[in-house]
Amino acid sequence: MPVRITPSILNADFANLQAEIERIPSADLLHIDVMDNHFVPNLTIGLPVVESLLKVTDKPLDLHLMIEDPDRWAPAYAEAGASSVSFHVEAAKAPVRLARELRAQGARASLGLKPATPIEPYLDLLGEFDMVLIMTVEPGFGGQKFLDIMLPKIRRTREAIKTRGADLWIQVDGGVSESTIDQCIEAGADTFVAGSAVFSADDPDAMVRTLRDRAVNFGRCC
């Protein structure tokens, strides 16, 4: 199972994001957290910053929209050139229609779930998506402790994908580190958001490689 490490720039130095991105050349994608201070109690960046980042990196951008009314705002991120756009089902009015619009714009469409949101009501919709993002912390802030009670939900999601013969990534976001990534891959995840673990390291790119190697080696042996 391929493994992808997607460092979150939420924990990077916002005064010089280009330089921070250049510190992690081994990243598979760059995870960009867009927060509106309504859906979550934090305010980060929006479309203008994303458009600027697209001009200074060839890395694919993995947008995580923690915003109200993604039906209205999400397509613009795909149109701008984001490789993947995640929106939260708790905020979307028409998730299937939105997923199809994102795909039509050339982006991967991803369904985001807060910790308290079960996967079961959305199993019949999986074919409309390219990824399921399972939050392993409450969305809104970086540096939170990994919620291991989310591991059963990751397992149920992986089993549902296998049963349907679908080809979806499972991304975990929140508290991913050297001490938690084994549990995530054992449960069935393959795409990992790591923020503070990467950008608090002395060598962020070495940490990206360490996380990937750990996940790959665990997957081989287990």
Side-chain angles (χ1 to χ4, degrees):
M1 183 170 62
V3 168
R4 288 161 288 272
I5 306 297
T6 64
S8 169
I9 67 167
L10 183 63
N11 298 91
D13 179 2
F14 271 42
N16 199 343
L17 287 178
Q18 181 177 356
E20 291 286 78
I21 290 170
E22 291 171 351
R23 296 174 71 201
I24 49 171
S26 299
D28 295 291
L29 301 93
L30 300 176
H31 189 81
I32 314 296
D33 292 301
V34 176
M35 305 182 192
D36 64 358
N37 200 31
H38 294 285
F39 181 71
V40 292
N42 196 4
L43 181 65
T44 56
I45 62 176
L47 184 59
V49 175
V50 170
E51 291 173 332
S52 295
L53 292 177
L54 285 162
K55 295 176 183 177
V56 298
T57 182
D58 293 329
K59 289 287 184 184
L61 299 191
D62 172 35
L63 271 291
H64 181 188
L65 305 184
M66 288 169 272
I67 62 174
E68 291 184 348
D69 201 6
D71 303 77
R72 177 181 179 185
W73 301 111
Y77 290 90
E79 185 177 2
S83 176
S84 174
V85 178
S86 299
F87 62 86
H88 274 266
V89 69
E90 302 91 352
K93 299 178 180 67
V96 171
R97 183 177 63 195
L98 179 53
R100 291 179 178 180
E101 189 169 357
L102 294 173
R103 283 174 153 184
Q105 294 283 359
R108 296 176 62 85
S110 171
L111 185 70
L113 304 173
K114 287 183 175 183
T117 304
I119 184 62
E120 283 73 18
Y122 308 103
L123 293 181
D124 290 340
L125 309 183
L126 289 180
E128 300 289 339
F129 293 90
D130 302 290
M131 182 169 77
V132 176
L133 186 163
I134 296 177
M135 295 297 301
T136 45
V137 298
E138 290 296 337
F141 295 93
Q144 298 182 63
K145 185 178 179 181
F146 178 80
L147 295 174
D148 58 6
I149 56 174
M150 293 297 102
L151 293 170
K153 182 160 73 172
I154 298 171
R155 292 190 184 96
R156 294 195 304 272
T157 303
R158 176 55 67 192
E159 286 303 314
I161 290 171
K162 287 181 180 178
T163 298
R164 287 160 173 76
D167 182 21
L168 279 80
W169 300 353
I170 297 180
Q171 184 178 65
V172 291
D173 183 359
V176 173
S177 66
E178 289 184 87
S179 64
T180 60
I181 197 167
D182 291 359
Q183 301 172 70
C184 296
I185 198 163
E186 186 277 332
D190 53 28
T191 306
F192 305 93
V193 179
S196 56
V198 169
F199 284 104
S200 65
D202 292 334
D203 185 340
D205 198 57
M207 179 55 67
V208 171
R209 297 193 302 272
T210 295
L211 291 172
R212 183 185 294 108
D213 291 345
R214 190 173 183 92
V216 167
N217 291 333
F218 187 87
R220 286 173 179 165
C221 74
C222 304

